[in-house]
Amino acid sequence: MITEHGAIALKPSAQPSDMPPESVTQLKGLAGDYIEIDNLSVSYDNCAVVENVTLRVQRNSVTALIGPSGCGKSSLLYCLNRLNDLVPCCSVEGSVNFSWMDSRQLEKNATQLRRQVGMLFQRPNPFPFSIRKNLEFALRQHGIKDRVDINRRVESALREVGLWEEVHDRLDSSAMSLSGGQQQRLCLARALILDPDVLLMDEPCSALDPISTEKIETLIRSLSKQRTIVLVTHSLNQARRVADQVAVFWKVDGVGKLIECGKAHDVFEQPQHALTQSYLKFA
C-alpha cells in the first residue's frame, strides 16, 4: 500500500512480485534527503516486539541502533527492505519513505526495493561455491548477464571492500576457504555489487576478531560517503566510533520502543533519558 505521502506502507505481501527488475527513479539531489520511518510497529503471532517508532535517517550517514537484546532493533531493520514479508507470522504497520526514490515503484516490487537497500547479516553467509560465483549470483538474479559488465562489477565490488588484492588470483576457489573476516567482506561485496543506495547491517562484527572488526568499521565510514548505512550493534564503543546518529531502544512494558535519538556525540556525552544514562555506563 502507498500512504498519502507516497511512502511504502509496510504490510506483508501475500505473494512475491513477479515483475521484472526496473530502474527506480531518483527524485532529488542529496541536500535534505532522508529515510522517514513513521509510526512503525512489528508483531509476531500478534505479539508486539516493537511499537510506534518514528525516526528520520539522514542520507549518506551512519545511524546506529543500540539497546539491550530483544527490544526490536533487528525487527525494525528488516522492515527497511521488507525482509519481514518473508515471515508468515509477521505483521507490520506504519510506513517507510525514501525521500530521494520513487516509493511507488518500490512498493510494486520488493525485489527491486532490496536491490536499492542491501543487507549484511550478523554472521558471514557466503554461498557454498566459488568467490566469483558468490558475486555473479546476485547480478544474474537481477538480469545482468553481459560478461564484460559482470567482470567489471565483480572487480569493483572486491576492490571497494579491500578484498581484490587478497583474492584476485583465486576467484574460482571456494568462498568457504576464506577466513571469517574475509567471508564477511565478501558478503559485503555481494551486497554492494548491485550498487544499493542504502546498506543495512545487523551486528556485522559480532563474529569477527578485532582486526577484522577494524577493517569493517573503516569500510563503514568510507561507504557512508556515498551510501546511507543503518547499523544494529551491541558494541557501544563501535557505535561511538562509526555512527553519526544513535537511536536507543528499550523494552518498555514488554515492547521495544525508541526512547532517545540524536547525534552520536550528544547521546554519548549528554544522554537525556535515564535509561540511556544507565545503559551507557557499560560503554
Side-chain angles (χ1 to χ4, degrees):
M1 294 172 58
I2 302 294
T3 70
E4 61 182 354
H5 301 295
I8 300 172
L10 293 166
K11 302 287 186 180
S13 301
Q15 296 179 352
S17 172
D18 58 0
M19 295 178 62
E22 57 186 65
S23 297
V24 172
T25 303
Q26 303 293 309
L27 298 178
K28 296 184 178 181
L30 294 180
D33 285 338
Y34 53 84
I35 304 171
E36 185 79 39
I37 301 168
D38 184 35
N39 204 32
L40 183 65
S41 298
V42 182
S43 299
Y44 295 98
D45 286 327
N46 297 317
C47 180
V49 296
V50 63
E51 189 173 69
N52 299 331
V53 173
T54 295
L55 175 65
R56 175 173 285 194
V57 175
Q58 183 66 43
R59 190 180 183 189
N60 290 5
S61 67
V62 180
T63 295
L65 312 183
I66 66 172
S69 297
C71 57
K73 303 182 300 296
S74 294
S75 291
L76 182 144
L77 191 74
Y78 296 162
C79 288
L80 299 185
N81 69 351
R82 289 174 52 188
L83 282 177
N84 304 67
D85 286 14
L86 307 177
V87 182
C89 64
C90 182
S91 174
V92 185
E93 296 182 352
S95 65
V96 175
N97 178 41
F98 300 86
S99 71
W100 67 97
M101 290 189 280
D102 187 341
S103 293
R104 293 184 181 275
Q105 290 184 23
L106 296 180
E107 168 61 16
K108 294 176 182 177
N109 190 348
T111 300
Q112 184 61 33
L113 171 63
R114 294 178 193 128
R115 179 171 179 171
Q116 299 295 322
V117 185
M119 185 80 192
L120 185 67
F121 293 95
Q122 181 174 0
R123 292 184 178 277
N125 60 341
F127 301 136
F129 31 78
S130 72
I131 297 168
R132 187 195 309 275
K133 287 185 178 179
N134 263 267
L135 299 175
E136 291 180 345
F137 180 82
L139 295 173
R140 294 187 184 280
Q141 285 292 100
H142 287 269
I144 299 170
K145 299 179 180 180
D146 179 76
R147 172 51 58 184
V148 174
D149 188 28
I150 288 175
N151 289 342
R152 178 187 62 78
R153 287 173 180 256
V154 166
E155 179 175 346
S156 177
L158 289 173
R159 286 190 182 279
E160 192 165 17
V161 301
L163 203 52
W164 176 254
E165 295 301 327
E166 298 174 33
V167 303
H168 72 278
D169 56 349
R170 52 181 175 133
L171 292 179
D172 294 315
S173 298
S174 171
M176 311 309 291
S177 67
L178 299 174
S179 69
Q182 288 175 323
Q183 287 184 13
Q184 190 68 316
R185 282 188 286 152
L186 176 63
C187 293
L188 179 55
R190 193 172 66 200
L192 293 174
I193 201 165
L194 294 169
D195 196 25
D197 278 340
V198 180
L199 187 61
L200 312 177
M201 296 184 168
D202 190 10
E203 297 186 64
C205 302
S206 64
L208 303 183
D209 61 79
I211 294 175
S212 296
T213 294
E214 183 180 11
K215 290 180 179 179
I216 294 292
E217 289 182 359
T218 299
L219 285 169
I220 289 172
R221 293 305 309 167
S222 175
L223 292 169
S224 69
K225 295 175 183 178
Q226 296 182 326
R227 293 179 174 88
T228 306
I229 296 175
V230 185
L231 164 76
V232 170
T233 180
H234 282 129
S235 170
L236 298 178
N237 288 326
Q238 181 174 81
R240 186 193 291 268
R241 288 191 295 267
V242 305
D244 301 299
Q245 175 179 242
V246 170
V248 186
F249 288 77
W250 205 269
K251 187 174 283 190
V252 180
D253 297 327
V255 181
K257 295 188 177 182
L258 176 64
I259 62 170
E260 184 167 349
C261 182
K263 293 181 179 179
H265 179 271
D266 294 341
V267 172
F268 278 105
E269 298 302 324
Q270 294 182 314
Q272 300 300 303
H273 199 290
L275 289 173
T276 307
Q277 295 171 13
S278 176
Y279 186 60
L280 293 182
K281 290 180 181 178
F282 295 100

